Amino acid sequence: MDIWFHIARALDEKLRQIAATLPDFGAAFSPAVKPSDPRHADFQANGVLGWAKSRKQNPRALADALADALRPQLDENLVTLEVAGPGFLNFKLTPQFLLRWLEAYRTQADFAQAAGALFKGRKIVIDFPSPNTAKQMHVGHLRPMVIGEAIQRLLQFCGADMVRDNHIGDWGTNYGILILGIKRAGFDLDKAGPDAIEDLERLYKEGSALTKADPATADAARQELVRLQQGDAENTALWEKINALSMKACEEIYKKLGITIDVTLGESFYRDKVERVYRELQDVGLAEEDKGALIVWHDDHPRFARTAEPSQPFIIRKADGASNYGSTDLATVLYRREHFNADEIVYVTDGRQQDHFQQLFLTAQKWFAKKGYALPCLRHVWFGTILGEDGKAIKTKSGDPVKLKALLQEAVDRAEKIVAEKNPDLSAEERAKIAESVGVGAVRYADLSQNRTGDYVFSWDKLLAFEGNTAPYLLYAGARIHSILRKAGLDADDATCETGASAFETAEEIALARKLIAFPSMLDATVEDLRPHLLCTYLYELAGQFSSFYNANKVLTENAGERARRLVLCRRTLTVLEAGMRLLGLEPLERM
RNA sequence: GGGGGCGUAGCUCAGUGGAUAGAGCAGCGGUUUUCUAAACCGUUGGUCGCGGGUUCGAGUCCCGCCGCCCCCGCCA
């Protein structure tokens, strides 16, 4: 019998094959194998119940028949099968199976190779973090960065060929407002100091307030944008300087958060590519002029049809002739298809843009179909909003949101204090490194560990928590394993210490081993809907199982077989824990 | 009005139609001459917003309400 990497999938496949040969089942039967509550089994198949019901047969009898047919193919020294309750098939893995699995899949490379079959060779362009430039990053910018980075790492781990494209907002209305503000204030960008980004932000904020209060100013700002988009020399020069300043500020944050970016092709990159969009969409009869704007209706859609009330057209060119994000996003889909040969495009943005992306995807779909272009799979991976104390989205207009730079610095400072207290013997250099990993990791993990579709209220305590389901808890478990290996004088890469392992015996050993073999099923679930918090939950539970094991079972004992098998558990926990943490963007530590 | 999200322990949140709904924090009580106590163990705490329905089985699916947040023509 093989030691399958993906146990649930293998059992599911076996049950399907057997069922196809049985008179009461057939090829249409779906076993529905999934990880089980460990109180009952390791994996369970529930498919028999629904199948029996729809055929008005006794589920228990059918389950027995299926189990009896499969059992001869299973080595009972490795996996046992029982029928329980109304007709659950319960698979229990023996301690021997657990050990053999952990011996078969040792290194991060083994795991990556096994997982890499999922998206083998698939070209995926991921659009993140894509901020609007010319503003300093605040806590509201945290989510697209940390969620996007985790997702791109997950997809790559699963074998995808990634292009990380930072689609910055460098061509929109915000530039009109900012350019107007700079001109009116007589602000000289060449003489700007190191905090120039703060000045720009102030000018933008003032300008933004003015445009809301005064229609004439709003119009003036739009005119500045039109002039920029038409290539006006003065505005272009200003635009370039603003960009340079804001890119510099962003890159500092990207570096701190370990954000991977391959190309930065912002909206401005598509300024000479939107004409083709206007032309082709009109040629194929998708776009039409309405009140001076160019718009697309989707009459086959209940909300985006021209007859819908209220109407919600997809605007791809504004009445003043300027492009908007409809135009640039369409041009971007085409470019990603033609230039990057994308099989799939993943957009990581705020959930408030769901309508926009639905309209974008519908439009691209019809446009590509009419022109005979191959349509990439388009996915919108959206996330909830970080809210201010007032329960409203954090925005510049609602006061001064906490700057991301300051938040991260505060996190690192707090972590450093704790490191100094817990481990005073460390060098200043190592203390700083640990504080960086713990502090930044805590902020990032606090965001990632929540279901991405929910909103949450910003709070220092939440983002700077160091206890419970947090990054430091995971980092600490890893550091302890390194500590054991150090104590035993073992090289982390040398597996010879695992030789001669005896079968797992204690409840803690078995619980930890079971958690480890659940990694592939967890990865499936995480990648299916791209929900990093499932990985967080898993790692937290894994670290918890390890901590219980560590406290109850001494690893470095005199009994050679016991010591070897516990080292297998330690080393495999380290492999999975560190691989998982890196997928989330956390930097594992050897001591803390 | 239409669409989306959220509502689970005092607080913050997990929960793939499956067996007795779980964590953390807070509270209470323990564990260290032994591989890092940033830890571990025990314990208190529940009308899963309300009402129907589907199902062998519903926190989970469907319908109707209630509450909060977000989006709905020239912002992105």
Side-chain angles (χ1 to χ4, degrees):
Chain A
M1 206 185 89
D2 296 335
I3 302 295
W4 322 287
F5 176 69
H6 201 310
I7 302 161
R9 214 182 277 164
L11 290 173
D12 202 275
E13 186 52 35
K14 274 204 169 300
L15 281 170
R16 265 176 214 281
Q17 285 170 8
I18 293 279
T21 68
L22 295 178
D24 287 333
F25 288 91
F29 172 69
S30 173
V33 175
K34 58 173 108 177
S36 161
D37 184 325
R39 282 173 296 195
H40 304 115
D42 288 292
F43 295 91
Q44 63 174 289
N46 301 333
V48 176
L49 285 104
W51 181 264
K53 173 68 184 169
S54 67
R55 264 139 243 274
K56 299 194 189 331
Q57 287 184 279
N58 180 347
R60 184 76 199 206
L62 284 189
D64 280 330
L66 189 56
D68 290 343
L70 176 58
R71 217 173 264 118
Q73 291 191 22
L74 301 173
D75 180 345
E76 64 180 3
N77 293 311
L78 297 177
V79 49
T80 63
L81 168 58
E82 289 166 14
V83 178
F88 300 121
L89 296 186
N90 283 350
F91 294 93
K92 289 184 188 169
L93 306 174
T94 65
Q96 195 190 336
F97 182 100
L98 296 173
L99 181 61
R100 284 184 54 186
W101 194 95
L102 295 175
E103 287 172 341
Y105 306 100
R106 284 176 193 272
T107 65
Q108 209 157 313
D110 290 339
F111 283 83
Q113 202 199 348
L118 217 46
F119 293 130
K120 194 84 201 157
R122 189 169 174 82
K123 172 75 91 175
I124 303 181
V125 175
I126 183 167
D127 183 322
F128 92 104
S130 312
N132 286 336
T133 51
K135 283 186 234 171
Q136 194 175 181
M137 285 188 165
H138 56 74
V139 291
H141 292 94
L142 185 65
R143 304 208 86 181
M145 286 194 275
V146 302
I147 294 172
E149 182 64 24
I151 285 172
Q152 82 80 11
R153 290 186 189 201
L154 274 161
L155 291 172
Q156 185 174 35
F157 187 76
C158 293
D161 182 8
M162 301 300 297
V163 177
R164 301 109 181 141
D165 184 359
N166 189 14
H167 191 69
I168 55 175
D170 61 353
W171 205 237
T173 310
N174 50 337
Y175 276 86
I177 293 170
L178 190 52
I179 288 172
L180 182 69
I182 288 170
K183 285 182 176 175
R184 289 197 175 169
F187 188 75
D188 187 348
L189 284 166
D190 292 323
K191 290 182 187 158
D195 293 329
I197 192 76
E198 311 253 1
D199 294 321
L200 290 184
E201 194 170 39
R202 180 177 47 78
L203 287 168
Y204 177 80
K205 207 167 139 184
E206 289 166 6
S208 178
L210 261 179
T211 56
K212 283 190 181 91
D214 173 26
T217 306
D219 197 52
R222 266 196 294 276
Q223 286 309 309
E224 294 292 359
L225 178 65
V226 172
R227 270 201 281 282
L228 170 66
Q229 296 197 348
Q230 285 169 350
D232 172 81
E234 186 189 8
N235 282 11
T236 302
L238 279 172
W239 174 78
E240 281 170 356
K241 286 173 193 167
I242 297 166
N243 269 341
L245 279 172
S246 90
M247 282 297 283
K248 207 174 145 226
C250 285
E251 272 162 12
E252 250 179 70
I253 302 275
Y254 295 155
K255 197 176 164 204
K256 193 125 183 144
L257 286 171
I259 305 299
T260 318
I261 290 167
D262 298 314
V263 288
T264 299
L265 302 177
E267 288 166 355
S268 67
F269 176 78
Y270 295 93
R271 59 183 181 259
D272 62 353
K273 298 176 178 59
V274 291
E275 285 302 330
R276 180 175 165 194
V277 174
Y278 303 148
R279 192 180 64 244
E280 291 195 2
L281 263 65
Q282 287 177 99
D283 284 352
V284 301
L286 275 171
E288 59 191 69
E289 292 210 11
D290 187 288
K291 296 172 192 161
L294 193 61
I295 63 173
V296 177
W297 295 111
H298 291 287
D299 288 327
D300 53 348
H301 189 281
R303 282 160 42 230
F304 306 140
R306 74 190 71 218
T307 52
E309 190 55 47
S311 67
Q312 202 175 336
F314 189 48
I315 297 170
I316 62 170
R317 191 180 61 208
K318 300 193 281 182
D320 61 12
S323 62
N324 68 351
Y325 78 146
S327 4
T328 50
D329 278 2
L330 283 167
T332 304
V333 175
L334 185 63
Y335 184 81
R336 286 171 177 165
R337 177 64 231 173
E338 292 187 336
H339 187 265
F340 292 120
N341 211 15
D343 298 309
E344 181 168 342
I345 305 173
V346 175
Y347 296 86
V348 182
T349 83
D350 192 291
R352 288 174 291 185
Q353 299 183 41
Q354 285 178 93
D355 280 356
H356 167 73
F357 281 101
Q358 280 188 33
Q359 289 175 305
L360 174 68
F361 294 174
L362 277 171
T363 306
Q365 199 181 317
K366 291 176 185 172
W367 170 31
F368 277 40
K370 296 217 178 194
K371 298 296 285 186
Y373 305 150
L375 182 74
C377 171
L378 301 168
R379 291 178 79 168
H380 183 209
V381 176
W382 58 273
F383 49 82
T385 314
I386 302 186
L387 308 172
E389 302 287 337
D390 56 358
K392 308 258 182 190
I394 287 193
K395 280 185 197 160
T396 312
K397 68 179 181 189
S398 64
D400 278 328
V402 176
K403 306 270 193 296
L404 200 44
K405 204 173 155 183
L407 174 70
L408 294 172
Q409 192 54 51
E410 172 80 18
V412 173
D413 289 347
R414 289 199 197 187
E416 176 131 23
K417 279 198 191 90
I418 296 174
V419 179
E421 180 191 317
K422 302 277 183 188
N423 215 337
D425 298 334
L426 294 169
S427 68
E429 191 189 354
E430 187 157 18
R431 192 165 65 230
K433 183 188 150 204
I434 294 169
E436 184 79 17
S437 170
V438 169
V440 175
V443 171
R444 146 180 254 136
Y445 188 89
D447 193 298
L448 286 174
S449 60
Q450 278 199 187
N451 186 345
R452 63 174 166 77
T453 56
D455 296 344
Y456 67 87
V457 177
F458 170 82
S459 92
W460 287 96
D461 288 346
K462 184 180 192 105
L463 266 66
L464 297 176
F466 290 173
E467 288 178 326
N469 184 7
T470 63
Y473 185 80
L474 305 185
L475 290 164
Y476 183 63
R480 275 179 149 179
I481 299 173
H482 277 290
S483 176
I484 293 170
L485 298 178
R486 266 198 309 274
K487 198 87 172 182
L490 297 170
D491 184 328
D493 296 324
D494 184 359
T496 52
C497 65
E498 297 181 5
T499 311
S502 51
F504 299 127
E505 282 176 20
T506 69
E508 292 83 6
E509 288 171 348
I510 290 169
L512 178 54
R514 284 172 140 183
K515 201 74 213 173
L516 286 165
I517 58 125
F519 179 82
S521 288
M522 175 283 301
L523 193 62
D524 268 5
T526 302
V527 171
E528 188 180 0
D529 290 323
L530 299 175
R531 289 180 296 172
H533 82 283
L534 296 178
L535 174 55
C536 294
T537 302
Y538 171 80
L539 292 176
Y540 177 57
E541 287 167 0
L542 176 64
Q545 293 289 2
F546 174 77
S547 295
S548 300
F549 158 78
Y550 173 94
N551 274 277
N553 299 172
K554 186 164 169 66
V555 175
L556 301 175
T557 66
E558 298 304 316
N559 179 325
E562 182 182 75
R563 174 185 162 113
R565 74 172 188 254
R566 289 181 180 171
L567 282 167
V568 170
L569 289 171
C570 286
R571 291 165 41 83
R572 220 59 79 247
T573 300
L574 191 60
T575 300
V576 173
L577 198 55
E578 291 193 339
M581 286 197 283
R582 288 198 179 95
L583 287 174
L584 295 172
L586 303 178
E587 191 51 50
L589 294 168
E590 296 198 2
R591 65 181 94 220
M592 63 186 277

